[in-house]
Short mmCIF file of all heavy atoms in Angstrom, two decimals:
data_model
loop_
_atom_site.label_atom_id
_atom_site.label_comp_id
_atom_site.label_asym_id
_atom_site.label_seq_id
_atom_site.Cartn_x
_atom_site.Cartn_y
_atom_site.Cartn_z
N MET A 266 102.06 127.66 56.17
CA MET A 266 101.66 128.40 57.35
C MET A 266 100.42 127.75 57.95
O MET A 266 99.54 127.28 57.29
CB MET A 266 101.28 129.83 57.02
CG MET A 266 101.16 130.72 58.20
SD MET A 266 100.87 132.48 57.81
CE MET A 266 102.06 133.16 58.76
N THR A 267 100.40 127.74 59.30
CA THR A 267 99.35 127.03 60.02
C THR A 267 98.32 128.05 60.47
O THR A 267 98.74 129.03 61.07
CB THR A 267 99.85 126.20 61.16
OG1 THR A 267 100.86 125.30 60.64
CG2 THR A 267 98.71 125.39 61.84
N THR A 268 97.06 127.81 60.25
CA THR A 268 96.03 128.67 60.74
C THR A 268 95.41 127.95 62.00
O THR A 268 94.99 126.88 61.99
CB THR A 268 94.95 128.86 59.65
OG1 THR A 268 95.49 129.42 58.50
CG2 THR A 268 93.87 129.84 60.26
N LEU A 269 95.48 128.74 63.07
CA LEU A 269 94.92 128.29 64.32
C LEU A 269 93.48 128.62 64.44
O LEU A 269 93.14 129.78 64.31
CB LEU A 269 95.72 128.73 65.48
CG LEU A 269 97.19 128.26 65.53
CD1 LEU A 269 97.85 128.88 66.71
CD2 LEU A 269 97.18 126.77 65.77
N HIS A 270 92.60 127.65 64.69
CA HIS A 270 91.27 127.95 64.94
C HIS A 270 90.95 127.69 66.40
O HIS A 270 91.35 126.68 66.97
CB HIS A 270 90.32 127.02 64.07
CG HIS A 270 90.40 127.35 62.72
ND1 HIS A 270 89.73 128.25 62.06
CD2 HIS A 270 91.10 126.66 61.67
CE1 HIS A 270 90.01 128.34 60.75
NE2 HIS A 270 90.86 127.38 60.52
N THR A 271 90.37 128.66 67.01
CA THR A 271 89.91 128.45 68.41
C THR A 271 88.48 127.86 68.44
O THR A 271 87.55 128.57 68.10
CB THR A 271 89.96 129.81 69.13
OG1 THR A 271 91.23 130.38 68.99
CG2 THR A 271 89.73 129.62 70.67
N LEU A 272 88.42 126.69 68.92
CA LEU A 272 87.11 126.07 68.95
C LEU A 272 86.45 126.32 70.32
O LEU A 272 87.23 126.23 71.36
CB LEU A 272 87.22 124.54 68.72
CG LEU A 272 87.75 124.12 67.37
CD1 LEU A 272 87.94 122.58 67.31
CD2 LEU A 272 86.77 124.66 66.32
N PRO A 273 85.23 126.61 70.30
CA PRO A 273 84.61 126.74 71.72
C PRO A 273 84.57 125.43 72.39
O PRO A 273 84.26 124.35 71.82
CB PRO A 273 83.14 127.18 71.39
CG PRO A 273 82.92 126.70 69.92
CD PRO A 273 84.29 126.71 69.27
N ILE A 274 84.88 125.42 73.71
CA ILE A 274 84.84 124.27 74.48
C ILE A 274 83.48 124.09 75.11
O ILE A 274 83.06 124.95 75.82
CB ILE A 274 85.94 124.30 75.62
CG1 ILE A 274 87.26 124.52 75.01
CG2 ILE A 274 85.83 123.07 76.49
CD1 ILE A 274 88.35 124.76 76.04
N PRO A 275 82.77 123.00 74.76
CA PRO A 275 81.44 122.75 75.30
C PRO A 275 81.43 122.62 76.84
O PRO A 275 82.20 121.88 77.37
CB PRO A 275 80.92 121.52 74.61
CG PRO A 275 82.20 120.77 74.19
CD PRO A 275 83.16 121.83 73.87
N ARG A 276 80.63 123.38 77.46
CA ARG A 276 80.63 123.24 78.93
C ARG A 276 79.63 122.20 79.40
O ARG A 276 78.48 122.12 78.92
CB ARG A 276 80.13 124.62 79.61
CG ARG A 276 81.16 125.68 79.44
CD ARG A 276 80.73 126.91 80.15
NE ARG A 276 81.62 128.08 79.97
CZ ARG A 276 81.47 129.26 80.53
NH1 ARG A 276 80.49 129.46 81.27
NH2 ARG A 276 82.39 130.25 80.22
N GLN A 277 80.09 121.33 80.16
CA GLN A 277 79.24 120.27 80.74
C GLN A 277 78.72 120.72 82.09
O GLN A 277 79.56 121.04 83.05
CB GLN A 277 79.90 118.99 80.80
CG GLN A 277 80.29 118.38 79.48
CD GLN A 277 80.99 117.07 79.62
OE1 GLN A 277 81.94 116.90 80.27
NE2 GLN A 277 80.55 116.00 78.92
N ILE A 278 77.38 120.69 82.29
CA ILE A 278 76.89 121.04 83.59
C ILE A 278 77.25 120.00 84.57
O ILE A 278 77.68 120.23 85.64
CB ILE A 278 75.34 121.17 83.42
CG1 ILE A 278 74.98 122.33 82.49
CG2 ILE A 278 74.78 121.48 84.86
CD1 ILE A 278 73.54 122.44 82.22
N THR A 279 77.08 118.81 84.24
CA THR A 279 77.34 117.66 85.09
C THR A 279 78.55 116.90 84.34
O THR A 279 78.25 116.09 83.42
CB THR A 279 76.21 116.72 85.38
OG1 THR A 279 75.67 116.36 84.19
CG2 THR A 279 75.21 117.41 86.35
N PRO A 280 79.72 116.97 84.87
CA PRO A 280 80.77 116.25 84.21
C PRO A 280 80.61 114.76 84.21
O PRO A 280 80.36 114.23 85.28
CB PRO A 280 82.02 116.69 85.00
CG PRO A 280 81.54 117.30 86.20
CD PRO A 280 80.23 117.76 85.96
N ALA A 281 80.81 114.12 83.12
CA ALA A 281 80.52 112.73 83.01
C ALA A 281 81.75 112.01 83.63
O ALA A 281 82.89 112.38 83.26
CB ALA A 281 80.36 112.27 81.60
N HIS A 282 81.52 111.12 84.52
CA HIS A 282 82.59 110.38 85.07
C HIS A 282 81.99 108.99 85.49
O HIS A 282 80.82 108.82 85.57
CB HIS A 282 83.29 111.03 86.26
CG HIS A 282 82.53 111.02 87.52
ND1 HIS A 282 83.09 110.70 88.67
CD2 HIS A 282 81.25 111.12 87.80
CE1 HIS A 282 82.15 110.63 89.60
NE2 HIS A 282 81.02 110.92 89.13
N GLU A 283 82.87 108.07 85.68
CA GLU A 283 82.50 106.74 86.01
C GLU A 283 82.22 106.71 87.50
O GLU A 283 83.16 106.88 88.24
CB GLU A 283 83.54 105.65 85.60
CG GLU A 283 82.91 104.26 85.60
CD GLU A 283 83.77 103.29 84.85
OE1 GLU A 283 84.43 103.79 83.85
OE2 GLU A 283 83.90 102.19 85.19
N HIS A 284 80.95 106.53 87.83
CA HIS A 284 80.61 106.63 89.34
C HIS A 284 81.42 105.55 90.14
O HIS A 284 81.45 104.39 89.62
CB HIS A 284 79.11 106.46 89.48
CG HIS A 284 78.31 107.56 89.00
ND1 HIS A 284 78.50 108.90 89.40
CD2 HIS A 284 77.40 107.59 88.06
CE1 HIS A 284 77.62 109.63 88.76
NE2 HIS A 284 76.94 108.94 87.93
N ALA A 285 81.89 105.92 91.20
CA ALA A 285 82.52 104.94 92.10
C ALA A 285 81.54 104.66 93.21
O ALA A 285 81.52 105.30 94.23
CB ALA A 285 83.79 105.58 92.64
N TRP A 286 80.64 103.66 92.98
CA TRP A 286 79.62 103.31 93.92
C TRP A 286 80.15 102.67 95.23
O TRP A 286 80.95 101.78 95.18
CB TRP A 286 78.66 102.38 93.26
CG TRP A 286 77.92 102.97 92.04
CD1 TRP A 286 78.05 102.46 90.76
CD2 TRP A 286 77.10 104.10 91.98
NE1 TRP A 286 77.29 103.33 89.93
CE2 TRP A 286 76.65 104.30 90.68
CE3 TRP A 286 76.60 105.07 93.00
CZ2 TRP A 286 75.83 105.26 90.25
CZ3 TRP A 286 75.78 106.06 92.57
CH2 TRP A 286 75.41 106.15 91.26
N VAL A 287 79.71 103.29 96.35
CA VAL A 287 80.02 102.76 97.57
C VAL A 287 78.59 102.31 98.27
O VAL A 287 77.70 103.15 98.32
CB VAL A 287 80.76 103.72 98.45
CG1 VAL A 287 80.90 103.24 99.81
CG2 VAL A 287 82.02 104.13 97.84
N ALA A 288 78.57 101.13 98.74
CA ALA A 288 77.32 100.66 99.37
C ALA A 288 77.17 101.38 100.70
O ALA A 288 77.99 101.19 101.64
CB ALA A 288 77.29 99.19 99.57
N ASP A 289 76.05 102.10 100.86
CA ASP A 289 75.80 102.78 102.14
C ASP A 289 75.13 101.78 103.11
O ASP A 289 75.57 101.71 104.23
CB ASP A 289 74.83 103.94 101.90
CG ASP A 289 75.64 105.28 101.83
OD1 ASP A 289 76.75 105.26 102.03
OD2 ASP A 289 75.00 106.27 101.41
N SER A 290 74.10 101.02 102.62
CA SER A 290 73.50 100.08 103.50
C SER A 290 72.77 98.96 102.59
O SER A 290 72.55 99.13 101.45
CB SER A 290 72.47 100.80 104.37
OG SER A 290 71.55 101.44 103.52
N ARG A 291 72.59 97.87 103.20
CA ARG A 291 71.95 96.72 102.56
C ARG A 291 70.74 96.23 103.36
O ARG A 291 70.76 96.23 104.58
CB ARG A 291 72.94 95.51 102.52
CG ARG A 291 74.17 95.90 101.63
CD ARG A 291 75.30 94.79 101.81
NE ARG A 291 76.38 95.11 101.00
CZ ARG A 291 76.55 94.63 99.76
NH1 ARG A 291 75.60 93.89 99.21
NH2 ARG A 291 77.62 94.94 99.01
N HIS A 292 69.69 95.92 102.61
CA HIS A 292 68.46 95.55 103.27
C HIS A 292 67.85 94.28 102.60
O HIS A 292 67.39 94.44 101.55
CB HIS A 292 67.47 96.70 103.21
CG HIS A 292 67.95 97.98 103.88
ND1 HIS A 292 67.80 98.20 105.23
CD2 HIS A 292 68.55 99.01 103.36
CE1 HIS A 292 68.33 99.38 105.51
NE2 HIS A 292 68.82 99.86 104.47
N PRO A 293 68.02 93.07 103.25
CA PRO A 293 67.47 91.87 102.65
C PRO A 293 66.01 92.01 102.59
O PRO A 293 65.29 92.30 103.60
CB PRO A 293 67.92 90.78 103.67
CG PRO A 293 69.08 91.41 104.42
CD PRO A 293 68.73 92.88 104.53
N THR A 294 65.39 91.66 101.43
CA THR A 294 63.99 91.60 101.28
C THR A 294 63.53 90.35 100.66
O THR A 294 64.46 89.50 100.26
CB THR A 294 63.41 92.79 100.46
OG1 THR A 294 63.84 92.62 99.07
CG2 THR A 294 64.03 94.18 100.88
N SER A 295 62.30 90.04 100.53
CA SER A 295 61.81 88.89 99.84
C SER A 295 62.25 88.84 98.43
O SER A 295 62.26 87.71 97.86
CB SER A 295 60.33 88.71 100.06
OG SER A 295 59.67 89.80 99.38
N GLU A 296 62.49 89.93 97.78
CA GLU A 296 62.85 89.94 96.37
C GLU A 296 64.34 90.02 96.15
O GLU A 296 64.82 89.87 95.03
CB GLU A 296 62.25 91.23 95.75
CG GLU A 296 60.66 91.18 95.86
CD GLU A 296 60.05 92.09 94.82
OE1 GLU A 296 60.82 92.70 94.00
OE2 GLU A 296 58.92 92.20 94.89
N GLY A 297 65.13 90.07 97.28
CA GLY A 297 66.52 90.17 97.10
C GLY A 297 67.09 91.15 98.08
O GLY A 297 66.32 91.61 98.94
N VAL A 298 68.31 91.49 97.89
CA VAL A 298 68.98 92.51 98.73
C VAL A 298 69.03 93.82 98.10
O VAL A 298 69.42 94.05 97.00
CB VAL A 298 70.47 92.09 99.08
CG1 VAL A 298 71.09 93.10 99.98
CG2 VAL A 298 70.41 90.64 99.66
N VAL A 299 68.24 94.82 98.78
CA VAL A 299 68.26 96.20 98.28
C VAL A 299 69.50 96.81 98.77
O VAL A 299 69.77 96.80 99.98
CB VAL A 299 67.04 96.95 98.72
CG1 VAL A 299 67.01 98.40 98.35
CG2 VAL A 299 65.73 96.25 98.14
N VAL A 300 70.27 97.43 97.91
CA VAL A 300 71.55 98.07 98.28
C VAL A 300 71.45 99.49 97.89
O VAL A 300 71.16 99.90 96.83
CB VAL A 300 72.72 97.37 97.50
CG1 VAL A 300 74.06 98.02 98.04
CG2 VAL A 300 72.72 95.88 97.70
N TYR A 301 71.62 100.31 98.94
CA TYR A 301 71.60 101.79 98.70
C TYR A 301 73.06 102.16 98.49
O TYR A 301 73.96 101.90 99.35
CB TYR A 301 71.08 102.50 99.97
CG TYR A 301 69.68 102.29 100.14
CD1 TYR A 301 69.13 101.15 100.75
CD2 TYR A 301 68.79 103.27 99.65
CE1 TYR A 301 67.82 100.95 100.88
CE2 TYR A 301 67.35 103.07 99.84
CZ TYR A 301 66.88 101.83 100.38
OH TYR A 301 65.53 101.67 100.56
N VAL A 302 73.39 102.72 97.26
CA VAL A 302 74.77 103.00 97.01
C VAL A 302 74.85 104.53 96.73
O VAL A 302 73.90 105.19 96.45
CB VAL A 302 75.22 102.28 95.69
CG1 VAL A 302 75.26 100.73 95.96
CG2 VAL A 302 74.33 102.59 94.53
N ARG A 303 76.09 105.02 96.91
CA ARG A 303 76.36 106.43 96.80
C ARG A 303 77.77 106.53 96.06
O ARG A 303 78.67 105.80 96.36
CB ARG A 303 76.50 107.05 98.19
CG ARG A 303 77.00 108.49 98.23
CD ARG A 303 76.99 108.99 99.60
NE ARG A 303 77.59 108.13 100.52
CZ ARG A 303 78.92 108.01 100.80
NH1 ARG A 303 79.64 108.85 100.14
NH2 ARG A 303 79.43 107.14 101.64
N CYS A 304 77.88 107.45 95.18
CA CYS A 304 79.11 107.66 94.42
C CYS A 304 80.03 108.46 95.34
O CYS A 304 79.71 109.54 95.78
CB CYS A 304 78.83 108.40 93.07
SG CYS A 304 80.43 108.72 92.31
N ALA A 305 81.19 107.85 95.62
CA ALA A 305 82.24 108.53 96.43
C ALA A 305 82.76 109.83 95.75
O ALA A 305 83.33 110.71 96.37
CB ALA A 305 83.32 107.64 96.81
N GLY A 306 82.58 109.84 94.41
CA GLY A 306 83.11 111.04 93.70
C GLY A 306 82.26 112.19 93.60
O GLY A 306 82.63 113.32 93.84
N CYS A 307 80.96 111.97 93.42
CA CYS A 307 80.03 113.11 93.13
C CYS A 307 78.89 113.11 94.09
O CYS A 307 78.06 114.09 94.15
CB CYS A 307 79.60 113.26 91.70
SG CYS A 307 78.52 111.83 91.25
N GLY A 308 78.76 112.10 94.93
CA GLY A 308 77.69 112.04 95.87
C GLY A 308 76.27 111.63 95.35
O GLY A 308 75.30 111.73 96.00
N THR A 309 76.29 111.14 94.10
CA THR A 309 75.05 110.71 93.50
C THR A 309 74.51 109.43 94.22
O THR A 309 75.30 108.56 94.60
CB THR A 309 75.29 110.43 92.03
OG1 THR A 309 75.53 111.63 91.32
CG2 THR A 309 73.98 109.84 91.39
N HIS A 310 73.23 109.37 94.47
CA HIS A 310 72.66 108.21 95.17
C HIS A 310 71.89 107.31 94.06
O HIS A 310 71.48 107.79 93.18
CB HIS A 310 71.67 108.68 96.21
CG HIS A 310 72.28 109.29 97.40
ND1 HIS A 310 72.67 108.61 98.54
CD2 HIS A 310 72.79 110.53 97.54
CE1 HIS A 310 73.27 109.47 99.35
NE2 HIS A 310 73.33 110.62 98.76
N ARG A 311 71.90 106.00 94.42
CA ARG A 311 71.22 105.05 93.54
C ARG A 311 70.81 103.92 94.52
O ARG A 311 71.42 103.66 95.48
CB ARG A 311 72.06 104.61 92.42
CG ARG A 311 71.22 104.06 91.26
CD ARG A 311 72.20 103.61 90.22
NE ARG A 311 72.93 102.44 90.53
CZ ARG A 311 73.77 101.79 89.78
NH1 ARG A 311 74.11 102.36 88.54
NH2 ARG A 311 74.37 100.72 90.16
N VAL A 312 69.74 103.28 94.02
CA VAL A 312 69.19 102.10 94.77
C VAL A 312 69.36 100.88 93.84
O VAL A 312 68.89 100.85 92.71
CB VAL A 312 67.83 102.19 95.28
CG1 VAL A 312 67.41 100.98 96.09
CG2 VAL A 312 67.62 103.48 96.12
N ASP A 313 70.06 99.84 94.34
CA ASP A 313 70.22 98.61 93.55
C ASP A 313 69.47 97.51 94.16
O ASP A 313 69.25 97.47 95.38
CB ASP A 313 71.74 98.30 93.43
CG ASP A 313 72.49 99.24 92.53
OD1 ASP A 313 71.86 100.07 91.86
OD2 ASP A 313 73.78 99.03 92.46
N LEU A 314 69.08 96.51 93.26
CA LEU A 314 68.54 95.31 93.84
C LEU A 314 69.36 94.12 93.32
O LEU A 314 69.50 93.94 92.15
CB LEU A 314 67.10 95.16 93.35
CG LEU A 314 66.45 93.84 93.73
CD1 LEU A 314 66.23 93.70 95.31
CD2 LEU A 314 65.06 93.68 93.13
N GLN A 315 69.88 93.34 94.29
CA GLN A 315 70.68 92.19 94.01
C GLN A 315 69.73 90.97 94.25
O GLN A 315 69.54 90.71 95.40
CB GLN A 315 71.88 92.07 94.82
CG GLN A 315 72.83 91.04 94.34
CD GLN A 315 74.20 91.14 95.12
OE1 GLN A 315 74.37 91.76 96.03
NE2 GLN A 315 75.25 90.53 94.49
N GLU A 316 69.21 90.37 93.19
CA GLU A 316 68.24 89.29 93.40
C GLU A 316 68.89 88.06 93.87
O GLU A 316 68.18 87.14 94.53
CB GLU A 316 67.48 89.02 92.10
CG GLU A 316 66.64 90.25 91.64
CD GLU A 316 65.90 89.89 90.39
OE1 GLU A 316 65.57 88.70 90.17
OE2 GLU A 316 65.42 90.85 89.73
N HIS A 317 70.15 87.86 93.57
CA HIS A 317 70.81 86.65 93.98
C HIS A 317 72.23 87.09 94.31
O HIS A 317 72.86 87.84 93.69
CB HIS A 317 70.79 85.61 92.79
CG HIS A 317 71.33 84.18 93.14
ND1 HIS A 317 72.66 83.90 93.22
CD2 HIS A 317 70.64 83.23 93.57
CE1 HIS A 317 72.82 82.65 93.58
NE2 HIS A 317 71.58 82.18 93.76
N PRO A 318 72.86 86.35 95.33
CA PRO A 318 74.20 86.70 95.78
C PRO A 318 75.25 86.56 94.61
O PRO A 318 76.28 87.25 94.70
CB PRO A 318 74.53 85.76 96.84
CG PRO A 318 73.15 85.29 97.41
CD PRO A 318 72.31 85.36 96.24
N LEU A 319 74.95 85.76 93.62
CA LEU A 319 75.99 85.52 92.59
C LEU A 319 75.67 86.37 91.35
O LEU A 319 76.49 86.31 90.39
CB LEU A 319 75.92 84.01 92.23
CG LEU A 319 76.42 83.15 93.28
CD1 LEU A 319 76.38 81.69 92.82
CD2 LEU A 319 77.83 83.41 93.81
N THR A 320 74.62 87.18 91.35
CA THR A 320 74.36 88.01 90.25
C THR A 320 74.66 89.44 90.62
O THR A 320 74.54 89.86 91.76
CB THR A 320 72.94 87.90 89.77
OG1 THR A 320 72.06 88.31 90.85
CG2 THR A 320 72.55 86.51 89.32
N PRO A 321 75.10 90.22 89.57
CA PRO A 321 75.35 91.61 89.89
C PRO A 321 74.08 92.38 90.17
O PRO A 321 73.11 92.11 89.59
CB PRO A 321 76.08 92.21 88.62
CG PRO A 321 75.60 91.19 87.53
CD PRO A 321 75.41 89.85 88.26
N PRO A 322 74.14 93.33 91.04
CA PRO A 322 72.96 94.15 91.39
C PRO A 322 72.50 94.96 90.20
O PRO A 322 73.31 95.37 89.38
CB PRO A 322 73.41 95.04 92.57
CG PRO A 322 74.92 95.04 92.47
CD PRO A 322 75.32 93.74 91.83
N ALA A 323 71.24 95.15 90.08
CA ALA A 323 70.65 96.01 89.00
C ALA A 323 70.01 97.23 89.58
O ALA A 323 69.42 97.20 90.65
CB ALA A 323 69.59 95.27 88.21
N ALA A 324 70.18 98.35 88.97
CA ALA A 324 69.65 99.70 89.43
C ALA A 324 68.20 99.59 89.42
O ALA A 324 67.62 99.26 88.42
CB ALA A 324 70.21 100.77 88.63
N ILE A 325 67.53 99.98 90.42
CA ILE A 325 66.07 100.06 90.47
C ILE A 325 65.66 101.43 90.68
O ILE A 325 64.38 101.70 90.75
CB ILE A 325 65.51 99.10 91.50
CG1 ILE A 325 65.92 99.46 92.93
CG2 ILE A 325 65.73 97.69 91.21
CD1 ILE A 325 65.30 98.66 94.00
N SER A 326 66.55 102.30 90.75
CA SER A 326 66.13 103.75 90.90
C SER A 326 67.00 104.52 89.94
O SER A 326 68.05 104.11 89.53
CB SER A 326 66.33 104.24 92.29
OG SER A 326 67.67 104.63 92.58
N ARG A 327 66.54 105.72 89.59
CA ARG A 327 67.30 106.69 88.89
C ARG A 327 68.39 107.21 89.75
O ARG A 327 68.27 107.28 90.92
CB ARG A 327 66.46 107.84 88.26
CG ARG A 327 65.48 107.42 87.22
CD ARG A 327 64.67 108.60 86.90
NE ARG A 327 63.77 108.22 85.73
CZ ARG A 327 64.11 108.41 84.49
NH1 ARG A 327 65.27 109.00 84.19
NH2 ARG A 327 63.27 108.04 83.57
N GLU A 328 69.47 107.72 89.08
CA GLU A 328 70.50 108.30 89.92
C GLU A 328 70.16 109.76 90.31
O GLU A 328 69.67 110.54 89.38
CB GLU A 328 71.77 108.39 89.10
CG GLU A 328 72.32 106.96 88.68
CD GLU A 328 73.39 107.02 87.68
OE1 GLU A 328 73.82 108.10 87.25
OE2 GLU A 328 73.86 105.89 87.24
N THR A 329 70.22 110.00 91.56
CA THR A 329 69.81 111.30 92.06
C THR A 329 70.95 111.93 92.73
O THR A 329 71.68 111.33 93.62
CB THR A 329 68.65 111.21 93.00
OG1 THR A 329 68.98 110.35 94.04
CG2 THR A 329 67.38 110.70 92.32
N SER A 330 71.31 113.15 92.31
CA SER A 330 72.43 113.83 92.90
C SER A 330 72.05 114.48 94.24
O SER A 330 70.88 114.75 94.50
CB SER A 330 73.03 114.92 91.98
OG SER A 330 71.98 115.89 91.66
N GLY A 331 73.01 114.63 95.07
CA GLY A 331 72.70 115.26 96.35
C GLY A 331 72.74 114.18 97.38
O GLY A 331 72.33 114.22 98.46
ZN1 LIG B 12 79.81 109.96 90.46
#
């Protein structure tokens, strides 16, 4: 006989998902190209800095929702 246990499902306040970053705008600076990105899925904003056209941009700001 199988005993069924009902496990509580943990509620996530902010569901984790892989952000789909979309570049809102790009601003060339002396340190590289500052790219303002926004997640198309949840609307989170982030600022990236691409120091060189051939290197991937690195986040220079925390992700902020809204
Ligand atoms: Zn997202």
